[in-house]
Amino acid sequence: MSASDATLAAAAAAPQVLLSHHLKALKLPAFLSEYAKVAQDCAREGVDHARYLLRLAELELIARERRMVERRIRAARFPAVKSFDSFDFAAIPALNKMLALELARCEYAVRRENVVALGPSGVGKTHVALALGLAACQRGFSVSFATAPALVNQLMEARDERRLLRLQAQLAGVKLLIVDELGYVPFSQTGAELLFETFSQRYEKGSTIITSNLPFQEWTSVFGSERLTGALLDRFTHHVHILEMNGESYRLKQSKSRRRKNAKADVEESCVCDASLTDGIASQEK
Ligand code: ADP
Ligand code: MG
């Protein structure tokens, strides 16, 4: 390459260097990574400039939406990311599948209604709550997930450290609050009052999903006070969708069916052994 060629190449490269800089400054990463390839496609297809820019703008919007969903999922602090795609509705016939899938469309969150999933341990309550949480993140709602004991701990710690108001404002502002596992651990009086306040502050402002192994009439055993539980249930159940999830533990059912399969395999194996034994005997007898 001659000196003049090098200068020409540098001059030609300069707009790309500058463009790359500007697109980064404007936070348009999809534009930056795709513009050259899309330009080639458009040139080949004879697409005009406006459509070229439109394609890039669409790619940027899709990428931005995906990043926002990822950010909402991270902010929600789900213990695991689960969806209804991996949920076997046949395993829990008591669950109203239509209602669960309808809730996954998140209209309830627009209307600021609540959801409660009730049933014994292992029936998939947390899975359903996570699936609804994920669906809400995908539809643009801010979500926060915590177990009831962890949330009470957070509230008590915040109170001790004089940052309760900030935490309460944060919890009141989130569009969907998921409180998992209400019922296993009873709260102290302060804990119960703080959780009650949290629910009160969210009343008709945002949606709350609660999962519990206890039917409503037994929630007093967690909150301690009948008066407090009554007031809480009064607000919470004003607009509530109830997912009844009575059934056998999914894990237990799986391990039982695994055991059955293993036992069947053992029987079949011993039959094969027996057959080869009798074959052997038969061939000896010949
Ligand atoms: P719960 O919260 O009611 O105690 P989980 O949601 O934690 O139950 O379920 C226990 C495990 O079994 C989880 O790994 C969950 O994903 C799985 N599970 C439960 N029910 C189902 C189901 N119907 N289909 C697929 N996986 C399920
Ligand atoms: Mg659970």
Side-chain angles (χ1 to χ4, degrees):
M1 197 187 273
S2 71
S4 61
D5 283 349
T7 318
L8 279 175
Q16 269 131 35
V17 173
L18 261 182
L19 181 61
S20 151
H21 174 268
H22 292 344
L23 289 175
K24 275 184 197 149
L26 288 166
K27 296 194 171 35
L28 297 169
F31 253 85
L32 178 57
S33 63
E34 300 300 317
Y35 80 85
K37 187 185 163 297
V38 178
Q40 276 176 4
D41 293 348
C42 288
R44 206 176 40 245
E45 296 164 31
V47 169
D48 64 18
H49 284 88
R51 287 194 177 79
Y52 166 58
L53 287 174
L54 179 64
R55 279 191 196 180
L56 283 176
E58 280 169 353
L59 288 174
E60 193 65 63
L61 276 176
I62 292 167
R64 186 169 293 183
E65 182 52 33
R66 201 183 50 234
R67 283 198 303 278
M68 270 155 62
V69 171
E70 282 164 6
R71 205 171 306 146
R72 284 192 286 267
I73 291 172
R74 274 198 303 278
R77 296 181 192 215
F78 297 128
V81 177
K82 293 192 182 183
S83 73
F84 280 123
D85 293 347
S86 60
F87 192 78
D88 177 11
F89 281 95
I92 174 106
L95 175 63
N96 182 342
K97 179 178 175 182
M98 290 272 279
L99 175 59
L101 295 181
E102 165 62 28
L103 291 173
R105 293 174 51 211
C106 299
E107 294 292 317
Y108 77 94
V110 177
R111 295 193 296 264
R112 299 162 192 180
E113 295 164 351
N114 300 321
V115 178
V116 64
L118 299 171
S121 177
V123 291
K125 299 183 299 298
T126 302
H127 192 135
V128 165
L130 288 170
L132 291 177
L134 180 66
C137 288
Q138 286 164 339
R139 279 178 175 67
F141 297 95
S142 55
V143 180
S144 193
F145 181 103
T147 65
L151 182 58
V152 166
N153 273 343
Q154 280 175 35
L155 287 162
M156 306 252 279
E157 259 176 42
R159 190 192 61 143
D160 293 346
E161 293 165 14
R162 299 182 160 275
R163 48 179 182 81
L164 182 60
L165 285 179
R166 206 171 348 134
L167 178 61
Q168 281 177 330
Q170 208 179 311
L171 289 169
V174 74
K175 293 283 176 233
L176 172 63
L177 176 67
I178 304 178
V179 181
D180 196 25
E181 295 189 356
L182 186 103
Y184 290 115
V185 185
F187 307 125
S188 64
Q189 190 187 335
T190 317
E193 283 168 5
L194 286 171
L195 196 59
F196 171 77
E197 261 179 51
T198 302
F199 288 141
S200 283
Q201 287 162 351
R202 292 185 56 74
Y203 177 60
E204 293 190 333
K205 279 216 199 79
S207 295
T208 304
I209 297 181
I210 296 181
T211 81
S212 178
N213 59 319
L214 298 178
F216 289 136
Q217 59 271 25
E218 288 175 36
W219 283 21
T220 311
S221 66
V222 191
F223 287 94
S225 144
E226 216 159 281
R227 188 185 45 81
L228 197 79
T229 312
L232 182 137
L233 281 175
D234 188 41
R235 287 166 177 75
F236 183 73
T237 60
H238 186 191
H239 311 284
V240 73
H241 302 273
I242 301 173
L243 294 170
E244 294 276 3
M245 295 182 68
N246 282 313
E248 204 186 337
S249 157
Y250 186 78
R251 278 183 290 240
L252 203 66
K253 214 153 48 177
Q254 271 196 325
S255 63
K256 267 192 207 162
S257 88
R258 250 196 317 272
R259 268 204 299 276
R260 263 200 303 274
K261 265 191 209 133
N262 287 346
K264 199 168 153 224
D266 285 349
V267 170
E268 277 166 8
E269 205 173 297
S270 72
C271 288
V272 172
C273 290
D274 290 351
S276 56
L277 208 65
T278 45
D279 283 355
I281 292 165
S283 60
Q284 272 174 16
E285 281 174 352
K286 271 182 201 158

